[in-house]
Amino acid sequence: MKEKIIEKLTEIVGERLLIDVDDRVSYGYDASFGQYMPDYVVQVMSTEEVQKIVQLANAYEIPIYPRGASTSLSGGPLPVHAGIVMDFSQWNQYLEIFPDDLLIKASPGVKTGDIHQLAEKYNLMYAPDPSSSSICTIGGNLAENAGGPRGVKYGVTKDYVLGLEVVTAEGEVIRTGGNTVKNVTGYDLTKLLIGSEGTLGIITEATLRLIPKPMDTKTAMIIFEDLYTAGKSISKILTSGVRPSKMEILDQNAINKVEDYAGLDLPRTAAAILLVEVDGDTDVLMKELHVIQQALLEIGVENVQIAKTKEEEARLWQVRKLVSPAIVQSGYTKISEDATVPLSKIPDMFRKIDEMKKKYNLNIVVFGHAGDGNLHPTINTNMRDADEVTRVEDAVEEIFHYAIELGGTLSGEHGIGTMKKPFFPKEVGEAGMVFQKAIKQALDPKNILNPGKIFPEAGEKRLVLKND
Amino acid sequence: MKEKIIEKLTEIVGERLLIDVDDRVSYGYDASFGQYMPDYVVQVMSTEEVQKIVQLANAYEIPIYPRGASTSLSGGPLPVHAGIVMDFSQWNQYLEIFPDDLLIKASPGVKTGDIHQLAEKYNLMYAPDPSSSSICTIGGNLAENAGGPRGVKYGVTKDYVLGLEVVTAEGEVIRTGGNTVKNVTGYDLTKLLIGSEGTLGIITEATLRLIPKPMDTKTAMIIFEDLYTAGKSISKILTSGVRPSKMEILDQNAINKVEDYAGLDLPRTAAAILLVEVDGDTDVLMKELHVIQQALLEIGVENVQIAKTKEEEARLWQVRKLVSPAIVQSGYTKISEDATVPLSKIPDMFRKIDEMKKKYNLNIVVFGHAGDGNLHPTINTNMRDADEVTRVEDAVEEIFHYAIELGGTLSGEHGIGTMKKPFFPKEVGEAGMVFQKAIKQALDPKNILNPGKIFPEAGEKRLVLKND
């Protein structure tokens, strides 16, 4: 049977079928946890190839796992039940801009950073900017509905996709949406498929919306003596009348990691710093930062440092970019969470995370997209220390439950994947699960599209950090 | 059987069950075409009532038609297969703002205009602004994913909804999304339900996102000598680097209708006028309009008149508001279309509509949301003239097909409803229809939620203007 599949896959993709153990091993992990072994890896290069492979997989009921650059933090592309990994990273040939329509069309393997660059050549902007944009693929961004720092003003991937070409579980090719910003013709399959983590259909092309590139930016760093005030400041800024284009927070732990790593002269004793960017016409940016400064004065926040030069501004954003590398560098395993809460609850969430640090004796760094309530409490842990792993699992579980209790969500931008599926029913409720499963069942009745993701399987009740 | 249903409905809503013929007649139409007779009308006032009625309807397989203020232009709330009209317009009691979270929560019968007003009290803005906002309900806006002039910069209803409470076809209550801008926990049921025209679930509460209210606005009127240049100007403006907050077009016919109706001193001989609003900091608005002016000069457009006072600005927007009343006033029946095309295809669409006027000898007025390619070719017709009605049907059909050919869509913001369902398969294709129907079948297997909408029924192949 395996030989027959190999023969058929070879007919479709030729040498782009990988079956050696070495090759398969390297397709078994992503930026989260767990290592799985796929049976086959196919590097697809066209819609027709995807279609034929899905038809084959459908006939033989073989699982398919679409995969971009494998930067997923939630286990999105992991081949948890073996089967076929469908690697899109080589299919990066198609990238076309239609400047008069404010559109870009791209094949799934195109790097997000290349889309940014092409748009900017025309003085336009593709707004979603996941931190991994220099390596991640647009296909992965679509599957996971990737976010990024600009989300506070410009929204996320879903807000910039007008249409998709998709291969269904039956191996049919459909087009969703179109080339217009407004479209209310039938159900919005585009927005259903984006963020569905490859479980409802396989995206083979996307039509993305561009907007005029803002003329200029200006950035301020706000320094806080306590975390609670830092949290309060976020709502205060967002209700000042100004719309920041980025609004990122680093707690003391994060500041010190970056400082240890890169020595950028950061205030090591601050409880937190907030980086706030405004964008638009050069002439009003300073005025807008002063509006923010004034609003913050009302709650006693005085330490606002405005970058005077473009170099200084770049240095501030470098700080944010270095948080993840700095944490990785500091040793052990990095567990990134992205529980998200309503804006006014950010101070509560900070307090909770602080409590978790003490209660479970863990090293937790907090940073993230403050302006959307999307924090990334990140735990540095030694995966060989079984007791510590259990404490991590307990702490993360408590953080998830608390986020939901505050009216927030398990995941703001990383997705559910394998990592958070045990907690999914808690957020959506029993009737919600029935509704969610009905959609999956209707569109992929044989469960061949990225099985083992989003929906918990029998016995899965805890954070999935281990592969067992 | 009917008596039993009446008894049970009375148990649920008491005197808010209407069964007199007079009452039922007035629930049989909307702002589109056709008159149908429901068996029962229930004015619901709580989730529990909705839930009980859906459970009853599910048990007896009775169709339910949710209805707001019945301003639909596509037949969304029409009770085409008799059954129960569920009137939400009385359920307008719950409207609460959470300014620190930048949120509003509302019951389905709240008027959109009341949401605007409440937000503005806090210097915030609920961006979607359908032209009917002073009478339409948020529930109707959600069902149809309503648009409006601000769509060009701020998007549509769907972009401002974070979460919903929904009664499913089984009569279960679920909550979708939440209170945060970012949420990637499972499938995006919020965005699937918005715009699904009441066919997948019944919305009983919405959590809406607010943004800071722009400080100021400024408006220019641009006068064109030919329609083609007017069309070209739209892309030109949108790629100038400025993001207009509104961008509305009126053709000569529309200008003259308004002038006949209200005498506002408009240029009757112009081929078209474009109204462009920019919003933001007062200090840059004039500068932004000059950027636009400069861009237009490059393609030979010189006649740009900038409103000097707030009164003058208000008068310009009054012009746009009066188009629909002016057309209604001019007699006969008004058939509003909303075919939408990619920005660069707007000149082609104008040319096509002009061709249709001549070919079918029709009175077509063109206006609409130029900045999203969302034109409203509106036909004034005598519904008693059978020959003319046929010509209208032919013209509209040609316009639809042409919009799709240009990479556009049947409907930008009005929805499919009863009016456009014969053309729906043409846009989404055969495999697309299978996918769309699979979702409907999975979530409403007995087809009790707003049947006769979106999906064409046997024999429906033409524009549905008549009730037969």
Side-chain angles (χ1 to χ4, degrees):
Chain A
M1 156 86 164
K2 210 158 181 177
E3 269 175 30
K4 190 163 183 178
I5 303 294
I6 289 174
E7 189 190 311
K8 284 179 181 282
L9 288 173
T10 306
E11 271 171 36
I12 303 170
V13 295
E15 292 190 348
R16 286 179 277 111
L17 167 67
L18 311 176
I19 47 169
D20 287 352
V21 173
D22 292 358
D23 288 328
R24 288 188 286 135
V25 164
S26 57
Y27 281 93
Y29 56 84
D30 65 2
S32 71
F33 297 92
Q35 170 81 40
Y36 302 85
M37 183 62 111
D39 300 311
Y40 324 91
V41 174
V42 283
Q43 296 178 323
V44 291
M45 302 278 280
S46 74
T47 304
E48 208 191 333
E49 287 178 4
V50 173
Q51 189 176 17
K52 284 184 180 163
I53 293 165
V54 174
Q55 284 165 352
L56 180 73
N58 189 47
Y60 290 87
E61 303 202 15
I62 305 169
I64 299 180
Y65 311 91
R67 180 185 182 91
S70 69
T71 56
S72 176
L73 292 163
S74 60
L78 297 177
V80 296
H81 295 308
I84 303 171
V85 166
M86 194 176 262
D87 176 10
F88 282 88
S89 64
Q90 306 305 304
W91 186 7
N92 56 9
Q93 291 71 28
Y94 182 56
L95 176 61
E96 187 174 4
I97 191 163
F98 302 84
D100 286 345
D101 289 326
L102 299 170
L103 295 179
I104 272 183
K105 292 186 189 249
S107 56
V110 170
K111 281 185 191 158
T112 310
D114 292 342
I115 295 172
H116 288 149
Q117 281 181 22
L118 179 58
E120 281 170 23
K121 271 190 201 160
Y122 291 82
N123 210 21
L124 295 169
M125 174 166 90
Y126 173 66
D129 60 339
S131 300
S132 54
S133 60
S134 62
I135 47 165
C136 65
T137 65
I138 187 66
N141 292 179
L142 297 164
E144 300 290 333
N145 189 23
R150 283 201 289 243
V152 60
K153 181 167 183 179
Y154 293 104
V156 294
T157 300
K158 185 170 291 190
D159 301 314
Y160 293 85
V161 187
L162 302 185
L164 298 173
E165 182 187 77
V166 175
V167 176
T168 70
E170 308 281 317
E172 296 282 347
V173 179
I174 64 171
R175 288 199 161 268
T176 74
N179 302 298
T180 61
V181 173
K182 283 181 175 173
N183 181 321
V184 291
T185 298
Y187 303 139
D188 192 339
L189 304 185
T190 310
K191 288 189 162 58
L192 177 63
L193 285 157
I194 297 169
S196 69
E197 308 192 9
T199 64
L200 300 179
I202 298 180
I203 297 168
T204 49
E205 188 183 295
T207 302
L208 308 171
R209 180 162 79 101
L210 305 174
I211 57 174
K213 187 173 182 293
M215 202 183 292
D216 199 2
T217 59
K218 215 163 185 66
T219 298
M221 173 168 71
I222 306 158
I223 299 167
F224 298 94
E225 282 162 29
D226 71 287
L227 264 180
Y228 185 77
T229 308
K232 283 297 285 179
S233 297
I234 296 163
S235 276
K236 192 72 194 169
I237 292 171
L238 288 170
T239 53
S240 71
V242 172
R243 289 190 81 185
S245 47
K246 294 182 185 171
M247 202 167 167
E248 297 286 312
I249 196 162
L250 282 76
D251 75 350
Q252 188 170 46
N253 215 341
I255 296 167
N256 281 283
K257 293 264 186 222
V258 174
E259 199 52 24
D260 291 345
Y261 181 62
L264 291 166
D265 207 15
L266 293 171
R268 279 185 183 271
T269 58
I273 56 173
L274 198 59
L275 300 173
V276 178
E277 180 194 88
V278 288
D279 70 354
D281 190 285
T282 312
D283 296 351
V284 289
L285 296 179
M286 198 50 123
K287 187 170 159 185
E288 288 192 344
L289 287 179
H290 286 153
V291 169
I292 289 174
Q293 214 166 6
Q294 209 53 44
L296 289 175
L297 265 184
E298 287 171 25
I299 55 167
V301 175
E302 292 177 356
N303 200 342
V304 179
Q305 304 184 358
I306 299 176
K308 288 185 191 68
T309 61
K310 279 287 150 193
E311 291 67 38
E312 226 177 288
E313 192 179 351
R315 193 183 60 83
L316 287 179
W317 288 108
Q318 182 70 356
V319 170
R320 172 63 181 85
K321 278 224 175 74
L322 289 177
V323 179
S324 279
I327 296 171
V328 171
Q329 182 73 10
S330 73
Y332 303 120
T333 301
K334 170 177 163 273
I335 297 165
S336 307
E337 283 315 327
D338 79 325
T340 303
V341 296
L343 296 175
S344 68
K345 306 296 187 204
I346 293 175
D348 297 309
M349 198 49 170
F350 269 119
R351 250 194 308 238
K352 182 72 180 184
I353 295 168
D354 213 40
E355 191 193 314
M356 294 299 96
K357 270 189 218 175
K358 289 165 193 153
K359 181 172 169 186
Y360 294 107
N361 185 29
L362 294 171
N363 181 7
I364 309 184
V365 180
V366 188
F367 64 100
H369 314 305
D372 356 82
N374 184 198
L375 300 180
H376 293 313
T378 300
I379 309 178
N380 253 9
T381 190
N382 180 355
M383 293 296 280
R384 293 194 183 129
D385 178 343
D387 177 66
E388 189 170 282
V389 171
T390 304
R391 280 183 281 124
V392 170
E393 289 175 339
D394 288 342
V396 171
E397 189 163 341
E398 263 195 61
I399 291 171
F400 287 159
H401 288 317
Y402 191 63
I404 295 171
E405 202 179 296
L406 291 176
T409 177
L410 282 179
S411 181
E413 58 181 17
H414 293 170
I416 300 300
T418 57
M419 291 281 288
K420 296 177 188 178
K421 54 188 178 162
F423 308 102
F424 180 42
K426 160 103 182 174
E427 181 168 333
V428 300
E430 210 175 302
M433 284 302 285
V434 171
F435 206 93
Q436 295 260 353
K437 282 182 180 165
I439 293 172
K440 170 68 175 174
Q441 174 66 24
L443 301 179
D444 179 23
K446 293 183 183 169
N447 195 27
I448 58 166
L449 299 178
N450 210 8
K453 311 299 158 65
I454 302 181
F455 299 100
E457 299 178 290
E460 290 179 334
K461 288 191 174 150
R462 299 266 298 173
L463 182 68
V464 183
L465 288 184
K466 280 165 295 181
N467 179 16
D468 49 20
Chain B
M1 155 82 165
K2 207 157 181 176
E3 269 175 28
K4 190 163 183 180
I5 302 295
I6 290 173
E7 192 190 309
K8 285 180 180 283
L9 288 173
T10 307
E11 271 171 35
I12 302 169
V13 296
E15 292 189 348
R16 287 179 277 112
L17 168 67
L18 311 176
I19 48 170
D20 287 353
V21 173
D22 293 358
D23 288 328
R24 287 187 287 135
V25 164
S26 56
Y27 281 92
Y29 55 85
D30 65 3
S32 71
F33 297 91
Q35 171 82 41
Y36 302 85
M37 184 62 113
D39 300 311
Y40 324 91
V41 175
V42 283
Q43 296 178 323
V44 290
M45 302 279 277
S46 73
T47 304
E48 207 191 333
E49 287 178 4
V50 173
Q51 188 176 19
K52 283 183 180 164
I53 293 164
V54 174
Q55 284 165 352
L56 181 72
N58 189 46
Y60 290 86
E61 302 202 13
I62 306 169
I64 299 179
Y65 311 92
R67 181 185 180 89
S70 69
T71 55
S72 176
L73 292 164
S74 60
L78 297 177
V80 294
H81 295 307
I84 304 170
V85 166
M86 194 176 264
D87 175 10
F88 282 89
S89 65
Q90 307 304 304
W91 185 9
N92 54 12
Q93 291 71 28
Y94 181 55
L95 177 61
E96 188 175 3
I97 190 163
F98 302 85
D100 286 345
D101 289 327
L102 299 169
L103 295 180
I104 272 183
K105 292 184 189 253
S107 56
V110 170
K111 283 184 190 157
T112 311
D114 292 342
I115 294 171
H116 288 149
Q117 280 180 25
L118 179 58
E120 280 170 22
K121 270 190 202 160
Y122 291 82
N123 209 23
L124 295 170
M125 174 165 91
Y126 173 66
D129 61 339
S131 300
S132 54
S133 61
S134 62
I135 47 166
C136 65
T137 65
I138 186 68
N141 291 181
L142 295 166
E144 301 289 334
N145 190 22
R150 281 200 290 243
V152 60
K153 181 167 182 177
Y154 293 104
V156 294
T157 300
K158 184 169 293 191
D159 301 313
Y160 293 86
V161 186
L162 302 185
L164 299 172
E165 183 188 76
V166 175
V167 175
T168 70
E170 308 280 315
E172 297 282 349
V173 179
I174 63 171
R175 288 198 162 269
T176 74
N179 302 297
T180 59
V181 172
K182 282 182 177 172
N183 182 320
V184 290
T185 298
Y187 303 140
D188 192 340
L189 304 184
T190 310
K191 288 191 161 59
L192 176 64
L193 285 155
I194 297 168
S196 68
E197 308 193 12
T199 64
L200 300 180
I202 299 181
I203 296 167
T204 50
E205 190 184 294
T207 302
L208 309 172
R209 181 163 79 102
L210 306 173
I211 56 174
K213 187 174 180 294
M215 205 184 289
D216 199 3
T217 58
K218 213 161 188 71
T219 299
M221 174 167 70
I222 306 157
I223 299 168
F224 298 94
E225 283 163 29
D226 72 289
L227 264 180
Y228 185 76
T229 308
K232 283 295 287 177
S233 297
I234 295 163
S235 276
K236 192 71 195 170
I237 293 170
L238 288 170
T239 51
S240 71
V242 172
R243 289 190 82 184
S245 47
K246 293 182 186 172
M247 203 165 167
E248 298 286 312
I249 197 162
L250 282 75
D251 76 350
Q252 188 170 46
N253 214 341
I255 296 166
N256 280 283
K257 294 264 185 219
V258 174
E259 199 52 25
D260 292 347
Y261 181 64
L264 291 167
D265 208 15
L266 294 171
R268 278 184 184 274
T269 58
I273 57 172
L274 197 60
L275 300 173
V276 178
E277 181 194 89
V278 287
D279 70 355
D281 189 284
T282 312
D283 297 350
V284 288
L285 297 180
M286 198 51 121
K287 185 170 158 184
E288 289 192 342
L289 287 179
H290 286 152
V291 170
I292 289 174
Q293 214 166 5
Q294 208 52 43
L296 289 175
L297 265 184
E298 287 172 23
I299 55 167
V301 175
E302 291 177 356
N303 202 341
V304 179
Q305 304 184 0
I306 298 175
K308 288 185 191 65
T309 62
K310 279 286 151 195
E311 291 67 38
E312 224 177 289
E313 190 178 353
R315 191 183 63 83
L316 287 179
W317 288 107
Q318 184 70 356
V319 170
R320 172 63 181 86
K321 278 225 173 71
L322 290 176
V323 180
S324 278
I327 297 171
V328 171
Q329 182 74 9
S330 71
Y332 303 118
T333 300
K334 170 176 161 279
I335 297 165
S336 307
E337 283 314 328
D338 77 327
T340 303
V341 295
L343 297 174
S344 67
K345 306 296 186 205
I346 293 176
D348 298 308
M349 198 51 171
F350 269 118
R351 252 195 306 239
K352 182 73 179 181
I353 295 168
D354 213 42
E355 188 193 315
M356 295 299 95
K357 271 190 215 175
K358 289 165 193 153
K359 179 170 171 187
Y360 293 107
N361 185 28
L362 293 171
N363 182 6
I364 309 184
V365 180
V366 188
F367 63 100
H369 313 305
D372 355 83
N374 184 199
L375 300 178
H376 292 313
T378 300
I379 310 178
N380 254 7
T381 190
N382 180 354
M383 292 296 280
R384 292 193 184 127
D385 178 342
D387 177 65
E388 188 169 285
V389 169
T390 303
R391 280 183 281 126
V392 170
E393 290 175 338
D394 288 341
V396 170
E397 191 164 338
E398 263 195 59
I399 291 172
F400 286 159
H401 288 317
Y402 191 63
I404 295 172
E405 203 179 296
L406 291 176
T409 176
L410 282 177
S411 181
E413 59 180 17
H414 293 170
I416 300 300
T418 57
M419 292 280 287
K420 296 178 187 178
K421 53 187 177 161
F423 308 102
F424 179 41
K426 161 104 181 169
E427 181 168 332
V428 300
E430 211 176 298
M433 285 302 283
V434 170
F435 206 93
Q436 295 259 352
K437 281 181 180 166
I439 293 173
K440 170 70 174 173
Q441 173 67 24
L443 302 179
D444 179 23
K446 293 182 182 170
N447 195 24
I448 60 167
L449 299 178
N450 210 9
K453 312 298 158 63
I454 302 181
F455 299 99
E457 297 178 290
E460 290 179 335
K461 290 192 174 151
R462 298 266 299 170
L463 183 68
V464 183
L465 289 182
K466 283 168 292 185
N467 180 15
D468 51 19

